[in-house]
Amino acid sequence: MQVLKAAFVAMACALLAACRTTAPAQPVSLAIVNVTVIDPETRRLLPNHNVYVDGDRILAVIPARRRAPYVPARTVDATGKYLIPGLMDMHVHLFLPEPTAPSLNLLIANGVTGIREMSGDCWEAAGARKGCISDYRRLQGRIKAGEVAGPEILSLASTMVMGPTRLKLPENAPSFITPRTAGEARTLVRHLHGRGVDLVKTHDSIPPAAFAALMAEARLLGIEVSGHVPFDAGTLGAIRQGFRSIEHARDPLYDCSRYASGFRRQESAVAEEKPGAERPTNLVRLTRTVTEFDPSLCRSMLSEFARSGAFYVPTHVTREMEALAGDPSYRNAEPRKYVLPERNKRWESDLAETAGLPAEERAALEAFFRHGLTITGLAHRAGVPIMAGTDANDTMIVPGFSLHRELRLLTQAGLSPMDALRAATAIPAAYLRRTDRYGGISAGKEADLVLLGANPLADIRNSTAIELVVSDGQVLDRSALDALLAEVEQAARPPA
């Protein structure tokens, strides 16, 4: 009986095996195998994993030991290497209609697969015809369609909204472009909203009444306002009215200082065009901001900043230029060979002017830069979300290269290498409200990836050890990246 039972079981198993069908393997475009995945979104380190990509999406991230039902068209053996998400630079200037290919090439070659363009329109109402929102939208579409190599343009800001004391308009230009009154400010926001910009970028010179109305109208229309903080508002005043990101390591420094209230009153009086109002000198502004630092005031301000949900983009590389303008090793940095001659000429003039300031003022600029790193460290520890941005194409800010420099400065400010990576990946994704697509390495995310030959968590400088970039599913190996750089270097050579 036992023999018959065993035979029956064996026969049933054989029949089931014969009936069982094996699912066909799924073709995929790319497999990166045996890699250590660094996922800033979850802060996880996943050694010896395989990442499968199909088209422009990550399909799966699984341990290499596990059999996967995928047949990749291309396999990259990444044994001993590290995979991070594509990096995002959240403060870039492409300066259309200047040639964009150099900037786009440099960004992609440095693993930057997404950017926030912070001057994505022109004052067409004042007669401008180039570098307008339609030009940027056209470029944005061509990049997304794969017609032009470059990082995805994730957000487009208006051109800078200034107060009437800082921008002189042509005679026939509408006055709302430089708003003095609440009515002009509301008209301006409706105008920019109608042009289709993603955010209104402000300057510090907007008068108080105009700024309050601008923020109210922006809230009504559901359009973001970010940028430079108007003097009267201050960091917290702007955030309380709905500001989403504070740019550049300046305003939080002022507002961590006992000097802030007097300084802001003085500057606001100038913005309001009050008789006899004068701006403080740079030396006074820089020196008093640093020397009158108040830890208690700073803790209180940063605590509210953190609770607000607003973001901070310190662009330390911008302040570094002011601090090191006279340093030959800084001025002759290798990435300058990728800068077009006309821009390099403007940079040299700016560097010479800054380096030619009196010694006391140069020392104050350096102290202000160092103090900015301190405040960023305090902000991070307080819970303020820090985003990496560079002011790319401003003086000495070479696109792509400058983002890696910014990551190093963020670690000098006190962020861990993982937090520095998060500042260029997961935090921007949260700011953009697109964590479903960006900021990490998991199934469903866009296939924006950077393969590194060394561990950036051991040393953030290893973020430059780039061996391969995947941008929206397109694979660029080291030879392709080098070709992009060579193309720019050739274009940047001065004429004989």
Side-chain angles (χ1 to χ4, degrees):
M1 191 67 159
Q2 286 295 106
V3 173
L4 287 172
K5 186 175 180 182
F8 178 76
V9 170
M11 186 183 298
C13 288
L15 287 170
L16 283 171
C19 294
R20 185 185 298 124
T21 56
T22 303
Q26 178 181 345
V28 297
S29 53
L30 173 68
I32 302 173
V33 301
N34 306 315
V35 72
T36 295
V37 173
I38 298 173
D39 185 4
E41 182 177 53
T42 61
R43 297 181 179 271
R44 291 194 302 168
L45 192 69
L46 305 174
N48 203 28
H49 270 59
N50 294 350
V51 177
Y52 295 93
V53 171
D54 193 30
D56 64 353
R57 285 287 186 274
I58 298 172
L59 190 63
V61 181
I62 60 177
R65 67 179 181 275
R66 188 185 302 168
R67 187 165 181 168
Y70 305 119
V71 178
R74 177 175 182 174
T75 299
V76 175
D77 184 357
T79 302
K81 298 179 173 61
Y82 299 82
L83 193 68
I84 63 172
L87 302 171
M88 290 183 260
D89 187 334
M90 298 303 283
H91 197 120
V92 167
H93 297 285
L94 294 177
F95 290 136
L96 295 183
E98 292 185 20
T100 57
S103 291
L104 300 178
N105 281 16
L106 295 175
L107 289 160
I108 282 291
N110 278 280
V112 179
T113 59
I115 59 173
R116 182 174 65 148
E117 167 56 58
M118 289 302 284
S119 186
D121 197 5
C122 66
W123 287 124
E124 197 167 4
R129 294 291 178 267
K130 295 179 180 178
C132 301
I133 186 75
S134 57
D135 301 314
Y136 282 94
R137 289 293 182 204
R138 193 175 305 113
L139 177 62
Q140 185 182 46
R142 293 188 69 202
I143 291 170
K144 193 64 181 168
E147 298 170 14
V148 174
E152 184 175 355
I153 301 175
L154 301 165
S155 179
L156 287 169
S158 70
T159 192
M160 186 88 80
V161 175
M162 297 185 179
T165 60
R166 297 300 294 272
L167 181 63
K168 301 306 176 188
L169 296 172
E171 213 170 281
N172 60 343
S175 61
F176 68 75
I177 290 176
T178 54
R180 277 186 172 86
T181 67
E184 287 176 337
R186 286 191 290 270
T187 300
L188 172 66
V189 175
R190 289 194 292 270
H191 171 76
L192 294 175
H193 183 260
R195 289 182 67 78
V197 299
D198 297 313
L199 70 93
V200 176
K201 182 181 178 183
T202 59
H203 189 260
D204 50 27
S205 57
I206 301 172
F211 179 65
L214 182 154
M215 293 303 300
E217 191 69 19
R219 287 195 302 275
L220 189 65
L221 294 177
I223 186 170
E224 178 186 340
V225 182
S226 292
H228 302 199
V229 174
F231 287 120
D232 183 73
T235 303
L236 294 182
I239 288 170
R240 287 165 187 160
Q241 294 178 75
F243 228 62
R244 277 210 79 217
S245 75
I246 307 289
E247 309 298 310
H248 311 306
R250 283 192 299 243
D251 287 285
L253 279 67
Y254 302 148
D255 295 322
C256 278
S257 168
R258 293 184 302 277
Y259 173 54
S261 57
F263 164 70
R264 291 196 177 283
R265 278 196 304 272
Q266 192 173 354
E267 288 280 14
S268 183
V270 174
E272 292 181 89
E273 301 175 285
K274 290 183 177 178
E278 289 185 6
R279 304 190 71 193
T281 66
N282 268 342
L283 181 59
V284 167
R285 173 181 63 86
L286 297 166
T287 303
R288 291 192 63 182
T289 297
V290 176
T291 59
E292 296 181 35
F293 168 67
D294 185 324
S296 176
L297 188 67
C298 196
R299 278 194 301 273
S300 175
M301 186 274 291
L302 293 175
S303 177
E304 183 174 342
F305 194 160
R307 291 194 305 271
S308 73
F311 294 75
Y312 183 33
V313 190
T315 67
H316 288 296
V317 284
T318 312
R319 302 281 78 80
E320 184 183 46
M321 184 284 293
E322 297 168 343
L324 301 181
D327 183 339
S329 63
Y330 173 77
R331 290 173 70 147
N332 298 321
E334 187 180 6
R336 280 193 78 177
K337 70 183 181 182
Y338 298 112
V339 181
L340 298 183
E342 278 304 309
R343 175 163 289 134
N344 238 332
K345 190 187 298 183
R346 294 195 297 272
W347 285 10
E348 197 59 33
S349 174
D350 195 9
L351 287 163
E353 181 181 348
T354 306
L357 294 170
E360 192 178 11
E361 191 166 342
R362 293 200 310 273
L365 283 167
E366 183 167 358
F368 194 80
F369 162 61
R370 301 290 172 198
H371 190 55
L373 296 176
T374 299
I375 300 303
T376 293
L378 293 173
H380 172 67
R381 289 191 288 279
V384 174
I386 309 294
M387 291 199 295
T390 64
D391 231 358
N393 280 318
D394 201 354
T395 302
M396 288 299 288
I397 315 300
V398 182
F401 291 95
S402 58
L403 185 64
H404 295 283
R405 178 64 185 162
E406 184 72 11
L407 296 183
R408 292 196 289 276
L409 290 173
L410 289 176
T411 62
Q412 288 181 31
L415 278 69
S416 70
M418 178 64 89
D419 285 319
L421 287 178
R422 282 174 57 80
T425 55
I427 303 298
Y431 159 82
L432 292 164
R433 299 186 176 99
R434 293 161 88 176
T435 54
D436 59 324
R437 295 177 63 183
Y438 307 111
I441 301 179
S442 59
K445 303 278 193 195
E446 287 209 2
D448 294 331
L449 302 163
V450 180
L451 183 64
L452 302 175
N455 185 359
L457 300 184
D459 186 338
I460 196 61
R461 288 176 295 184
N462 290 333
S463 68
T464 62
I466 297 172
E467 299 198 0
L468 179 137
V469 172
V470 183
S471 177
D472 210 16
Q474 180 185 4
V475 180
L476 298 162
D477 61 16
R478 190 62 257 176
S479 63
L481 300 174
D482 288 339
L484 290 175
L485 292 174
E487 183 182 319
V488 181
E489 185 177 3
Q490 177 64 34
R493 284 182 184 149

